[in-house]
Structure formats: structure tokens, C-alpha cells
Amino acid sequence: MKDLDKDKIKEEIKSNVKRLYRKEFKEATEKEIFQAVSLVVKDEIIDDWLATQNAMDEQDPKTVYYMSMEFLMGRALGNNMLNLCVYDEFKQALDELGLDITSIEDQEPDPALGNGGLGRLAACFLDSLSTLGYPAYGCGIRYRYGMFKQKIEDGFQKEVPDDWLKENYPFELKRSEYTYEVKFGGYVRTEVGKDGRLNFIQEGYRSVLAVPYDMPIVGYNNNVVNSLMIWDAQPKQVFSLESFDKGDYVKAVEDENLARSLVEVLYPNDSHISGKELRLKQQYFFVSASLQRAIQRFKKHHDDIHDLPKKVVFQMNDTHPTLTVPELMRLLMDVEGLGWDEAWDITTHCVAYTNHTIMTEALEKWPIEIFSRLLPRIYNIVEEINRRFCLEIEKKYPGDQGKVDRMAIIYDGQVRMAYLAIAAAFSVNGVAKLHTEILKKETLKDFYDMYPEKFNNKTNGITQRRFLLHGNPLLASWVTDKIGDGWITDLSQMSRLKVFVDDEKAQQEFRSIKYKNKLRLARYIKEHNGIEIDPNSIFDVQVKRLHEYKRQLLNIIHVMYEYNRIKEHPELDVIPKTYIFGAKAAAGYKIAKLTIKLINNVAAVINNDRSINNKLKVVFIEDYKVSNAEMIFAAADVSEQISTASKEASGTSNMKFMMNGAVTIGTMDGATVEMVEEMGRENAFIFGMSADEVIEHEQKRDYNPMDIFNQDQDIRKVLMQMVNGFYSPDNSELFRPIYNSLLNTNETQYPDTYFNLKDFRSYAETQDKLMETYRDEKKWTRMAMMNTACCGKFSSDRTIQQYVDDIWHLDHIHVNPLEDDEN
Ligand SMILES: *Cc1c(COP(=O)(O)O)cnc(C)c1O
């Protein structure tokens, strides 16, 4: 590291303030100081960034392009300072300038170019790739508006645009020199070329220019800085009087509108497809631009395009970037001049696919009409891939038309993106053991039977640098005190904490850290929600996207039940509990939005009932996002991971809680199964049906929630309160749709599709057990400490190493820091 001591930092911050704002330091606002500090950090990054680029040019390593519609990065400033190992120096410098480093960090907008888990996974992967020293590009879209900001008004969610680029964002660099054209629509004309080959020429199209912005991805203490390239769209010719004169007026306006609308907004759907034409345009836009840049980079060092698979691999994060397959085929055939077989051979050795869900709402399909109109040449190619693929199926299963129908890429007027991805990819992976097994046995069984060698599992992980080192500095330095700082880049070392779990002094320290983190969150909640919460109560937390399968409804129904119990039995000796929720619902997902309203109304009734002596509080944290998430995990006692078994592919917040010493109450779903494997079932509270049981009930269709409603008086009471105005005195019908979703069949769904009532008793009993355990301070602390001590497997460093070993086969890059030109 360069000689960046605190005095130098102070000097540079002050001079940046002057340079940027023509102000003396003492007149600058915190926002301006944030910009000034960021500039110092960026200067610090630039040399390593250049050095990494040079190393990649010289060493020509095999590189992964991580293709993802979403990167939920979270704030960069704090993370960059930590990974550069200059955080303490900046903290001191700011201290001496009379400023608190966290309030400067709080000035940064939270770049929220993603919805939830899938986008956050992509961000964790980039951090791990740089830290492990592997060459990588993240490829995505520079949405003008990221994930909406959530306001809660009268208990309802209101979506407000997230204008994250309003002020200059300091950690991006425009790279106009890598501008490419991307074409939409028109028609394809064929012509025989001089060499006798058939050429495909797209005509009458509209096009935009794709302009990349690079964001640095700083590795931890290793001088490696990879890039996240996110694409902006610009009109090809700026609307001008000139084109007006030429009569191209309409076309010019259309091109400008296309460019403007393309990158305007991130679709706020999680595990649910939107099917909007613009979404398909976005997909093609970033895929085409990214592939053009990848091929241009490759050709700088290589003459023979056949060598592409030796140097380049494209990982498709879910089906959203599946157009990588036909677009790579197009570039290889129409631009590079290869024949079909050669192009297919290269493509199928360059692309790999990660599946993220088995739920039907998420299986991406596009109507042929939209697809072929928008991407005529690409559609030709997909048709040919499908034709050949169906022949292959017939050859393997002669006469089995059912098989062909089930597996065809184009079927029933639609293009099935997952099947296209699987047909072409050399690797298909699930994101947790259980998930991968369900894919092989149920969802993708036909494909597994045909290509067993393609299927593999890569259990998700998270980066400990953001979710422990940055998010929980107290616990991080405690861990370092106990076992040294090796865990920062090798999380398996956390197991060395196991020797402390029965140590009284260590236990006390651990508890005191949790208490301080609870105070910090209580302050945040007081400030943002105006609700006073008791840091001595159990903080029971469910934060994640709002979705029926994640069962926030089960949680709030149980809160309603506990409230009734406390009212009916005031003599009961219960430990005060604070139920904390945080969740955004997709703007068009009615029942999810109504669930937010229900949580807030239940909160209003309970929090204002003095008769229960503060035994129960309910808080809905507005605008759940990466920056407040970091604080929430650090403060949680209990982690709610209560999805209907088989529905949560992996989950990653379960791991973040575990790392921060929260105890899980959850179902045997996703990666929670593997967490329990690591720490032992005695260190978690597991309840409910298994994935096999759920799947069996779904297949037999033998579950009737009305039976439970009729027999269980407590459930009956809670459900009646939902529709008798108890929680909505002004409109007793308000929550009727939720009641109906639990008890009545509608056109599309069975009642209680997600088995809330079926799992309720098991959940309630397990919650009681949890409270009893919490009374035993030593036992509880031991459990919490075991969670932290056993989290080693769940580092994204481990996940990335497995991707590298089994799928990507990347070369390391060795970066020699540039000579500091001032020395
Ligand atoms: C980790 C994370 C998620 C994913 O949470 P799950 O509980 O695994 O669905 C979503 N949003 C944010 C902000 C996160 O940090």
C-alpha cells in the first residue's frame, strides 16, 4: 500500500473539497465531504485497477464474464476502504476532522441494481473473484432507476423512484471507447456472398449505442481490481435538425426514445417474470454489448476464434441472460464467418447456466410473436437450435413424442428460455444441495436423464468482508482477537472459535457485542420509525423480499396468536419479544402488498396496547436494502427462515444471520439444510414439513386447510380477527383476500398453496421452545456462538473456488503494484 497515512488523507480530502466545490473544508456539507473522500479512495484504487488491466494484457488468463441482469452492490465507499486496508486510517483522519466515518458512508446512495438474493449473490461473487485473484467481468445494465425506494404510508407500501445517479456517483468510469451498436427489429434478408456462403443481413431495424461504465471491484489486500461493466444506452444519432431535414425525423425520435426507455428501470419482480417486451429488449441489449466487448478483447491477443473457449467463459445468472447462446452463435457465424457446427461447438464450450428457482412463476417464456418481431435473426437461430435439439431427443428416445413436447425449446407458441440454456450450456448448476436434487429428480428430470454430466451443485455463499468485517465491526474485531485475521480471506478458520463456546468470559463478550448491536439498530428504528424498542427483548427478524413462499404470513399469523395468548393469559411469564420485518413487494403483487399492510396494522394494534406491558412489539423497517441489512443482521437474535420446504432454492440471508450469531428458526429448505449439517441440529430450531412431504401433498392434492381451520380454535380466532375488523376497524373487508388465499380455491391456486396453516402448530411449538431456551443465557449464547463458529462453509470464496475448479477453470492473475509515480 502506498504511504497513505491519516495526515495525507486529511490533506487530500481538504484539497478535494476545494477543487470540487470551491469551498473551505469547514463550509462543506457531509454530502460534499462524501464526494471528496470517495475521490481520495478512487485515486487509491486507480493504480491497482490499471495494474490489473496490464497484468491481464500480459498474462492473457482465462476470464469469466458473469452475465447478470442484476447486481445488488450496496454501498462502495466503506467496502473499498476495507478491501484496500485503509479503513482505520480514514476513520482516524475523519475523526480528527470532527466527522464520523459512518455518517459520511451514509451519504452514499445504495446502488440497488437488483431485487434481492439473486442480485446480491452476483455482488458477493465479484468480491470473492477479486479477492481470490481471478480475472472476471461482471456484465449488467446501468439502470437509470434501480430498485424503488419503499415508503410506508398509513401502513401501505408506496414505491418511490430511486434516483441514484442524481448526484455524480464517484465509483464509476465511463468507457466510451468500448461503444457498440445493438439492433432491434426489422427483417432479415439473405444473400449469397462471393464465397458462396449465405449471408444474413438485418435491415429496417432500429438501433441504439451501448456505452459501458466500469465500476472497480477491489480485492481484499491483493492489488487486484476487476470491473463491473454496466451498460448505458444512447441514441445513435442525437436528435438534430439535420435528420429533421433529411426526413428521418420519426426514426430519430424513435431511436432516441428506444435508448431512453431501454435502461430506464429495473423490473422490480423477484422470482416472478414480467413478460414485458421492454424486458426482453433489456436482456438482448446487455448480452449483445457484453459479448461484443468480450470478443473484441479476445481478438486483441488471438487470431483464431476457435480458441475462444480456452480463454473465455460466460456464466448465465438464471435464464435472464440466456440470449448469450443465440447471440454468440450470431456473432460467430454472421460476423466471424464460421459455419453452424463450428459455431455451436465453440458456444457450447463457452456458456454455463445457473438455475435459481423451481417455481413456475419464475420459468421464463417468451411468446414467439414478441421474440421474432424484436429479434428476427436471433429467432432464426433459436429455431435452428430447437430443430436440431428435437432431432437429438428423437434419436435418443425414438417414438417418444411426449418427451419431445416436454423438452422442446419452442413449444405452444413460446420460447422456453431455461431449456435453451440447458441445451447449450456445458454446465447446469443449482444453488444448494437440496435444490439441485429437486432439479434432477423433479423439475428438470428429462434433461438430467439426457445430460447427467451437465448437472452439478454450487451452494451459494456470502462475502464475510461486507457482512461481518464491514457490517459488524465489533464482532469482527472480537473474532480477530480470538483467532487472528486469517478468517477475512479464509472463513473456514472460524471453526477455531469453537473452543470458546463454553468459555464464560468469551460468552460474556459475545453477549455484550450483540447487545451493543441491538442498541445501534434500536437507535436506527427510533430515528426512522419513531418506535421505541427494548434492547433486552428478543430481536426476532425476518428480512427478505415479500413473497408468499417465504411466508411472512405465517410469521405475522403467529404474532397475532401470541398476542391473543398474552391477552388471555396475562399471568404467563413470557420474555419480551420484538418482531422485526423488512420487505419490499413487487409493485403489482397485490397479496404481497396487502401482507405488508397487515403487518403494519398488527403492529399498530399491538404496539399501542398498554395492557400487555411491552411484552410484544412489532416493527416494519421501511426500505430494506443492503446498507440497513448489514446493521440488521448484526443485531438479530433470531433469524426467520420459514419458507415452504422445497420453494427456497438456497437463501443467503440465512447465512448472513448465522455468521453474525443469530439462531435460526426455520424449515429444512434451501441452504438451511446445509447450515444445520455444519452446526448440528441442536443449534437451530427446525420445524415443519420436509420438502418431500410438501411435494407429496402437492402431487396428491390431498391438503385441505379448512380441516385445520375447523379444528384448531387458536387458528380460527386469528383468521376471524383478520376479517372482523379487529386489525382494520375502518374496513373489516380489507384483509379478506388474505383470508381467502388461505381458505378458498380461486381460479389459479389451491387454498393455502404454501401450507401456512399446515405448518402453524409445529412453528408455534418451536417458537415456545425457542423462548424457553433463551431463558438459559449460557445455553443460548453457546448456540449463537456455534452459529458464528460453523459458518465457514458459507463464504462466497468457497463457492467461487468451486465454480473455478469444476466449471470455469480460470487462471490466477498476478498483479504487481505500479510504482508510485510520486516516489
Ligand atoms: C441477502 C439479501 C437478500 C436475500 O435474502 P433471502 O432471505 O436469502 O431471500 C435480499 N435483499 C438484501 C438486501 C440482501 O442483503
Side-chain angles (χ1 to χ4, degrees):
M1 191 79 336
K2 286 190 293 188
D3 56 334
L4 199 68
D5 60 26
K6 66 174 163 39
D7 292 328
K8 182 109 180 283
I9 293 172
K10 272 160 53 179
E11 214 175 283
E12 291 194 7
I13 293 173
K14 285 183 184 168
S15 104
N16 282 346
V17 166
K18 220 183 270 179
R19 196 150 60 90
L20 288 169
Y21 302 106
R22 208 204 57 190
K23 274 188 187 173
E24 291 300 332
F25 181 76
K26 59 180 187 304
E27 295 161 46
T29 63
E30 289 201 318
K31 262 219 160 51
E32 290 166 344
I33 294 168
F34 157 72
Q35 292 283 350
V37 174
S38 296
L39 215 60
V40 182
V41 173
K42 193 176 177 184
D43 275 346
E44 198 59 23
I45 293 171
I46 286 288
D47 285 343
D48 286 345
W49 208 358
L50 257 174
T52 304
Q53 206 51 60
N54 292 343
M56 284 174 75
D57 279 342
E58 279 160 26
Q59 295 159 32
D60 187 29
K62 186 172 181 189
T63 301
V64 64
Y65 291 79
Y66 196 80
M67 308 290 289
S68 181
M69 285 284 272
E70 303 187 13
F71 288 90
L72 189 48
M73 298 302 288
R75 290 179 179 148
L77 176 59
N79 200 246
N80 286 338
M81 292 187 292
L82 275 172
N83 281 9
L84 292 165
C85 296
V86 294
Y87 194 88
D88 291 340
E89 288 79 357
F90 274 82
K91 187 168 155 43
Q92 274 183 21
L94 287 165
D95 264 355
E96 291 179 14
L97 292 170
L99 291 161
D100 172 30
I101 193 165
T102 54
S103 44
I104 298 303
E105 288 181 48
D106 283 343
Q107 303 306 313
E108 182 176 349
D110 207 318
L113 310 184
N115 271 285
L118 174 145
R120 185 53 233 174
L121 183 76
C124 284
F125 279 4
L126 294 183
D127 181 79
S128 288
L129 278 158
S130 286
T131 295
L132 295 176
Y134 291 116
Y137 286 92
C139 303
I141 295 174
R142 184 174 178 267
Y143 299 104
R144 176 75 178 72
Y145 297 97
M147 190 59 197
F148 63 80
K149 289 200 179 307
Q150 181 191 55
K151 297 263 183 248
I152 301 296
E153 285 179 9
D154 184 30
F156 289 103
Q157 165 177 298
K158 196 176 152 215
E159 302 88 24
V160 180
D162 164 37
D163 197 357
W164 72 290
L165 292 168
K166 189 169 53 189
E167 279 134 67
N168 172 58
Y169 187 70
F171 296 102
E172 62 171 11
L173 206 68
K174 186 173 181 177
R175 306 296 302 274
S176 305
E177 67 270 37
Y178 297 110
T179 297
Y180 302 97
E181 185 177 10
V182 179
K183 300 174 183 174
F184 297 95
Y187 54 91
V188 180
R189 184 169 60 79
T190 51
E191 116 195 330
V192 181
K194 288 196 197 89
D195 52 0
R197 275 177 53 101
L198 208 52
N199 294 328
F200 295 84
I201 299 138
Q202 194 172 350
E203 289 182 341
Y205 56 83
R206 286 160 55 186
S207 71
V208 297
L209 296 179
V211 184
Y213 286 71
D214 286 359
M215 283 194 200
I217 308 294
V218 179
Y220 184 82
N221 196 21
N222 67 352
N223 306 105
V224 174
V225 180
N226 282 310
S227 305
L228 167 60
M229 54 163 116
I230 47 177
W231 297 91
D232 186 25
Q234 284 175 9
K236 206 166 145 192
Q237 69 257 63
V238 182
F239 173 67
S240 66
L241 274 177
E242 201 185 329
S243 52
F244 185 80
D245 290 341
K246 280 190 206 140
D248 281 347
Y249 175 74
V250 172
K251 190 170 186 306
V253 174
E254 278 179 356
D255 284 356
E256 188 163 319
N257 285 340
L258 176 63
R260 212 202 317 276
S261 67
L262 248 183
V263 296
E264 191 73 357
V265 67
L266 163 75
Y267 281 94
N269 294 318
D270 191 68
S271 304
H272 195 285
I273 61 151
S274 78
K276 291 276 174 14
E277 192 168 322
L278 184 61
R279 166 91 173 175
L280 187 62
K281 278 188 202 160
Q282 289 183 334
Q283 295 182 349
Y284 184 63
F285 169 72
F286 97 95
V287 160
S288 179
S290 303
L291 292 191
Q292 291 184 63
R293 188 163 168 192
I295 289 177
Q296 189 185 17
R297 272 197 74 237
F298 172 82
K299 287 172 75 170
K300 214 163 92 180
H301 300 283
H302 300 269
D303 299 327
D304 189 355
I305 195 75
H306 293 89
D307 289 336
L308 194 68
K310 291 185 191 154
K311 294 294 174 185
V312 169
V313 57
F314 299 103
Q315 186 70 40
M316 304 188 290
N317 194 24
D318 212 329
T319 52
H320 321 146
T322 299
L323 292 171
T324 299
V325 173
E327 176 65 0
L328 185 53
M329 288 294 288
R330 183 187 74 83
L331 290 168
L332 293 172
M333 294 188 299
D334 297 1
V335 181
E336 301 299 322
L338 301 188
W340 181 276
D341 291 330
E342 289 173 301
W344 184 247
D345 188 58
I346 294 170
T347 300
T348 53
H349 286 87
C350 281
V351 302
Y353 159 60
T354 302
N355 174 289
H356 280 270
T357 175
I358 59 168
M359 295 202 309
T360 46
E361 312 93 280
L363 289 182
E364 204 177 359
K365 298 184 186 105
W366 289 102
I368 290 174
E369 190 278 318
I370 293 180
F371 197 116
S372 60
R373 174 164 48 77
L374 216 57
L375 307 168
R377 175 61 181 139
I378 293 297
Y379 184 69
N380 285 161
I381 292 171
V382 173
E383 271 187 317
E384 181 61 13
I385 294 174
N386 181 53
R387 191 185 66 80
R388 290 171 182 241
F389 180 57
C390 289
L391 284 177
E392 203 181 314
I393 303 167
E394 270 161 28
K395 199 165 135 207
K396 179 139 189 190
Y397 304 98
D400 192 345
Q401 188 57 39
K403 197 79 152 177
V404 178
D405 289 348
R406 286 202 303 280
M407 296 178 74
I409 295 165
I410 302 175
Y411 184 76
D412 197 20
Q414 294 189 307
V415 182
R416 305 198 279 209
M417 301 301 265
Y419 298 179
L420 175 57
I422 299 169
F426 66 87
S427 162
V428 176
N429 75 280
V431 290
K433 262 192 219 165
L434 174 67
H435 168 61
T436 301
E437 286 311 305
I438 294 173
L439 289 180
K440 293 199 285 196
K441 278 205 290 256
E442 316 272 342
T443 326
L444 299 175
K445 183 174 186 307
D446 288 321
F447 291 88
Y448 178 61
D449 288 345
M450 187 144 159
Y451 304 116
E453 71 287 350
K454 289 190 182 188
F455 283 73
N456 64 94
N457 174 246
K458 296 287 167 282
T459 299
N460 283 167
I462 57 167
T463 168
Q464 65 268 33
R465 285 154 310 265
R466 181 174 292 270
F467 291 107
L468 185 50
L469 187 60
H470 185 259
N472 195 344
L474 296 175
L475 187 58
S477 49
W478 180 83
V479 173
T480 298
D481 264 7
K482 296 288 183 241
I483 63 170
D485 65 2
W487 62 272
I488 298 172
T489 51
D490 173 13
L491 200 67
S492 71
Q493 293 185 23
M494 296 294 272
S495 64
R496 289 164 53 198
L497 290 170
K498 282 184 198 165
V499 298
F500 297 103
V501 299
D502 292 309
D503 177 320
E504 208 143 314
K505 179 166 160 288
Q507 280 211 347
Q508 205 128 47
E509 293 162 354
F510 196 87
R511 269 198 301 276
S512 137
I513 288 166
K514 182 60 81 182
Y515 183 77
K516 286 180 188 152
N517 287 327
K518 288 167 79 172
L519 279 179
R520 177 173 68 153
L521 181 61
R523 268 200 306 275
Y524 178 90
I525 288 172
K526 176 81 182 119
E527 203 172 299
H528 290 79
N529 298 55
I531 298 175
E532 201 94 46
I533 59 173
D534 174 7
N536 284 306
S537 63
I538 301 176
F539 281 17
D540 181 310
V541 186
Q542 186 173 22
V543 286
K544 48 185 75 249
R545 283 303 293 265
L546 211 134
H547 207 296
E548 285 162 288
Y549 84 82
K550 291 177 182 283
R551 296 202 295 196
Q552 283 91 355
L553 186 54
L554 175 59
N555 188 343
I556 197 66
I557 284 175
H558 176 259
V559 172
M560 293 155 81
Y561 156 81
E562 272 196 345
Y563 177 55
N564 288 339
R565 192 167 61 174
I566 292 170
K567 296 282 279 183
E568 286 161 21
H569 302 280
E571 76 285 0
L572 273 182
D573 174 25
V574 300
I575 301 174
K577 263 190 170 186
T578 304
Y579 286 96
I580 298 170
F581 293 83
K584 290 180 186 174
Y589 191 174
K590 290 209 180 106
I591 201 105
K593 291 180 81 167
L594 193 57
T595 305
I596 290 175
K597 173 65 173 164
L598 176 63
I599 293 167
N600 281 308
N601 279 23
V602 171
V605 169
I606 292 179
N607 298 346
N608 291 314
D609 183 345
R610 304 201 156 214
S611 77
I612 60 169
N613 275 327
N614 292 322
K615 285 176 185 164
L616 209 53
K617 280 271 157 73
V618 182
V619 177
F620 189 96
I621 295 179
E622 194 175 70
D623 204 33
Y624 176 57
K625 56 184 170 180
V626 176
S627 54
N628 57 27
E630 293 178 34
M631 181 175 5
I632 294 168
F633 300 127
D637 294 307
V638 178
S639 160
E640 297 269 355
Q641 305 299 334
I642 60 177
S643 55
T644 312
S646 80
K647 303 295 180 198
E648 187 74 272
S650 163
T652 47
S653 79
N654 45 2
M655 305 166 187
K656 301 168 195 166
F657 282 106
M658 181 191 194
M659 189 178 280
N660 282 278
V663 177
T664 297
I665 182 164
T667 50
M668 279 297 215
D669 200 15
T672 303
V673 176
E674 290 160 74
M675 284 166 39
V676 169
E677 233 171 71
E678 292 297 301
M679 66 186 151
R681 206 174 165 123
E682 69 280 7
N683 289 307
F685 294 94
I686 298 301
F687 73 93
M689 285 192 288
S690 67
D692 284 341
E693 288 169 317
V694 169
I695 291 168
E696 195 182 324
H697 281 302
E698 286 175 340
Q699 284 168 354
K700 289 191 181 155
R701 298 179 178 179
D702 61 353
Y703 166 53
N704 185 0
M706 194 54 88
D707 298 340
I708 298 174
F709 178 81
N710 287 332
Q711 281 157 27
D712 189 321
Q713 294 313 306
D714 296 330
I715 287 183
R716 193 184 177 86
K717 177 163 179 180
V718 164
L719 293 201
M720 291 320 293
Q721 286 171 332
M722 225 185 261
V723 289
N724 69 11
F726 188 80
Y727 289 106
S728 53
D730 298 339
N731 175 6
S732 61
E733 287 299 301
L734 181 62
F735 299 118
R736 177 74 64 179
I738 295 180
Y739 175 94
N740 283 342
S741 80
L742 290 170
L743 294 176
N744 295 332
T745 306
N746 68 26
E747 319 84 62
T748 53
Q749 283 192 336
Y750 291 93
D752 196 13
T753 315
Y754 296 100
F755 301 94
N756 290 283
L757 303 191
K758 180 96 182 152
D759 273 347
F760 178 82
R761 270 297 149 195
S762 168
Y763 179 54
E765 283 162 15
T766 307
Q767 278 282 10
D768 288 344
K769 238 190 307 181
L770 183 152
M771 189 184 288
E772 285 315 305
T773 308
Y774 193 85
R775 282 182 208 284
D776 185 342
E777 199 173 53
K778 279 187 195 154
K779 187 169 175 194
W780 182 272
T781 308
R782 190 184 194 283
M783 282 180 84
M785 289 171 84
M786 278 299 285
N787 270 268
T788 300
C790 296
C791 75
K793 173 175 173 182
F794 303 101
S795 170
S796 46
D797 298 344
R798 184 268 313 151
T799 314
I800 285 299
Q801 193 56 52
Q802 291 177 331
Y803 274 94
V804 169
D805 291 343
D806 303 344
I807 304 174
W808 300 339
H809 307 293
L810 306 179
D811 303 309
H812 269 108
I813 23 172
H814 304 280
V815 178
N816 299 313
L818 291 187
E819 290 300 316
D820 192 342
D821 40 25
E822 279 160 67
N823 291 342

